[in-house]
Amino acid sequence: MSNTLSPQELRESLVKRLRDQNAIRTDRIADVVAAVPREAFTPGVSEADAYDPGRAVVTKWDRDGLAISSVSAANIQAVMLEQGDPRPGENVLEIGSGGMNAAYLAELVAPGGTVTTLDIDPEVTDRARRLLADAGYDGVHVVTADGEGGAPDRAPYDLIEVTVGAPDIPPAWIDQLAPAGRIVVPLRIRGLMRSFLLVREGDHLVSRGYELCGFVPMQGAGEQRERLVLLHEAPKEEVGLRLDDGDQVDVDALRAALASPRQEVWSGITVGGEEPTHDLDLWLATALDGHARLTATVAARDAGLVASASPLGVATLVVGGTFAYRTVRAVDETRTRFELGAYGHGPAASAAASKLVDEIRTWDGAHRGGSGARIEIHPAATPDSRLPAGRVVDKTHTRIAISWPGDRP
Ligand SMILES: C[S@@+](CC[C@H](N)C(=O)[O-])C[C@H]1O[C@@H](n2cnc3c(N)ncnc32)[C@H](O)[C@@H]1O
């Protein structure tokens, strides 16, 4: 981006790019993105980076080098504001602070609304308080606390926007929500994170859509990281499985499986190179018992250990000492269309790869391009009989029921 653009031109150019990406869908969100100076919340960062639609500005790392605080990228901020649709006069709580998104929220709830932004880290809240005041948003309440407990003093909230990766929905968030209040939350289910719009219906929440997203992980009382078990490790060459929700696997057997020859099964179903397949991943995470995500370094892929080097992992079925993961192969010379398939390793490699491919076919026939999954989030004590049909994922505080069109009660 040219350095000669004025701040106003930078904001207008950002709005245009976010509209082109379909991150901005309404004039209300366009107007606030055009109004709030991003550079005021990203001191020390170049204007090109501050106005890069897809770039999060990391402000803090943990000892292992993992990002734990950032000003989120403009595209995900816009998408989540579209999901939450904050209205003038509303009372909004933001969990996970930085200042910038709180400024967008403050613009959207004016006149008459209130924004509380909360972070577990006092360095983050000190910075947010200072930057908000300097930019003229001193009406925003900045609170230092663990978001697990919400912010009871100003409840009930019309909207709670969570801007940190959440493994569960703590009871305080539902308790502090107005009767028909909304939560927008990057929720991790079976290793996949999606930003869900959830609406309160009595004691539970029901989804009204979801979007792809990535967020730093929740710290504090609700912290629950994914586990990574390594199936192969040599200098630079690592292959592992990401496990979520307390899932267990037989690591020794799976290490032996990886060392055995692979079996491949192809589906005959093709996708375009640019076509998003995140709904396929959510379908596989719903449909497969023994779901995990296979990750590998580039060196491990280049050494031929596995076919994919995705750091976030690819959908994998684990059955005892066998695993099979989703893969693709180009079907044309220009590498614009790819056939979906699966590679299996271990004693039941062909059967596991066939099972995964069966579910790819089910997705293609029943769910591709459809309305997607619907989730309901109920308190942990809810009996099965009160849950809708579909996959139930048990969390610490809640039971999450994931259903797809056509699921029978
Ligand atoms: C991606 S940043 C928030 C970005 C911000 N909303 C913005 O304006 O772009 C996530 C924040 O969540 C915070 N966080 C992590 N765990 C938390 C918890 N349990 N309660 C409150 N904040 C938490 C981190 O300290 C970090 O600052």
Side-chain angles (χ1 to χ4, degrees):
M1 184 177 295
S2 159
N3 291 332
T4 56
L5 293 182
S6 70
Q8 186 58 36
E9 287 168 330
L10 283 167
R11 290 197 285 279
E12 279 161 13
S13 152
L14 177 63
V15 168
K16 184 180 176 319
R17 289 197 284 167
L18 293 175
R19 277 198 191 269
D20 290 346
Q21 294 177 8
N22 198 34
I24 289 183
R25 297 155 198 177
T26 61
D27 290 347
R28 296 187 69 238
I29 303 304
D31 290 349
V32 299
V33 173
V36 176
R38 291 187 74 80
E39 65 277 13
F41 297 96
T42 51
V45 170
S46 72
E47 286 187 337
D49 283 354
Y51 284 92
D52 182 330
R55 181 184 287 264
V57 175
V58 178
T59 50
K60 204 165 174 177
W61 290 262
D62 72 6
R63 275 196 225 105
D64 301 327
L66 182 75
I68 54 170
S69 188
S70 62
V71 171
S72 299
N75 56 9
I76 188 61
Q77 288 177 330
V79 162
M80 293 176 77
L81 292 171
E82 292 283 1
Q83 287 185 292
D85 191 22
R87 292 271 147 188
E90 286 195 326
N91 185 25
V92 177
L93 171 64
E94 180 191 44
I95 295 177
S97 195
M100 173 116 59
N101 192 56
Y104 287 143
L105 290 169
E107 293 279 352
L108 286 162
V109 301
T114 314
V115 175
T116 302
T117 181
L118 174 155
D119 203 286
I120 196 168
D121 185 335
E123 278 183 34
V124 175
T125 46
D126 283 353
R127 180 178 179 280
R129 195 175 287 113
R130 181 168 40 83
L131 297 179
L132 281 163
D134 289 353
Y137 296 98
D138 37 9
V140 173
H141 302 284
V142 183
V143 176
T144 309
D146 187 337
E148 181 86 353
D153 292 356
R154 290 193 183 79
Y157 298 100
D158 302 297
L159 170 67
I160 298 178
E161 182 176 335
V162 184
T163 60
V164 57
D168 196 359
I169 304 287
W173 298 357
I174 303 180
D175 294 346
Q176 292 172 24
L177 210 53
R182 297 103 66 203
I183 302 183
V184 176
V185 56
L187 184 62
R188 203 182 72 222
I189 309 174
R190 303 203 99 197
L192 297 179
M193 190 181 285
R194 299 287 183 271
S195 173
F196 286 95
L197 169 61
L198 303 166
V199 176
R200 180 174 180 169
E201 289 188 4
D203 69 344
H204 66 278
L205 302 167
V206 176
S207 70
R208 294 274 190 274
Y210 52 89
E211 303 277 350
L212 200 59
C213 68
F215 270 91
V216 298
M218 180 80 84
Q219 307 165 44
E223 175 169 330
Q224 208 185 312
R225 303 268 175 104
E226 282 179 283
R227 275 195 315 133
L228 176 68
V229 296
L230 288 178
L231 304 186
H232 174 92
E233 44 188 317
K236 292 194 176 173
E237 288 175 14
E238 274 187 7
V239 179
L241 282 176
R242 283 175 179 271
L243 301 173
D244 200 7
D245 300 321
D247 289 341
Q248 302 290 331
V249 294
D250 183 343
V251 183
D252 290 339
L254 293 172
R255 280 173 163 258
L258 178 63
S260 70
R262 78 181 183 207
Q263 305 291 328
E264 45 192 272
V265 178
W266 295 98
S267 65
I269 291 158
T270 61
V271 290
E274 300 290 310
E275 190 178 336
T277 50
H278 50 261
D279 236 23
L280 168 59
D281 284 337
L282 191 56
W283 166 252
L284 292 175
T286 312
L288 297 173
D289 295 330
H291 172 265
R293 313 269 307 161
L294 184 87
T295 70
T297 56
V298 171
R301 182 200 58 198
D302 291 349
L305 291 163
V306 288
S308 159
S310 160
L312 291 175
V314 293
T316 302
L317 168 64
V318 181
V319 189
T322 295
F323 69 95
Y325 59 95
R326 166 164 106 68
T327 190
V328 291
R329 65 180 175 191
V331 293
D332 55 3
E333 278 178 10
T334 53
R335 299 185 65 79
T336 50
R337 282 208 81 74
F338 297 87
E339 182 181 5
L340 295 164
Y343 288 151
H345 288 265
S350 290
S354 297
K355 169 69 182 155
L356 206 151
V357 164
D358 284 348
E359 294 300 350
I360 291 172
R361 292 199 180 108
T362 304
W363 166 77
D364 182 60
H367 304 304
R368 188 173 185 173
S371 56
R374 176 181 191 273
I375 68 167
E376 289 195 9
I377 301 184
H378 291 258
T382 307
D384 286 348
S385 57
R386 280 196 53 213
L387 297 177
R391 162 83 52 188
V392 175
V393 179
D394 283 310
K395 301 279 190 174
T396 307
H397 301 298
T398 60
R399 307 195 73 195
I400 302 183
I402 315 172
S403 38
W404 289 77
D407 282 348
R408 289 210 185 79

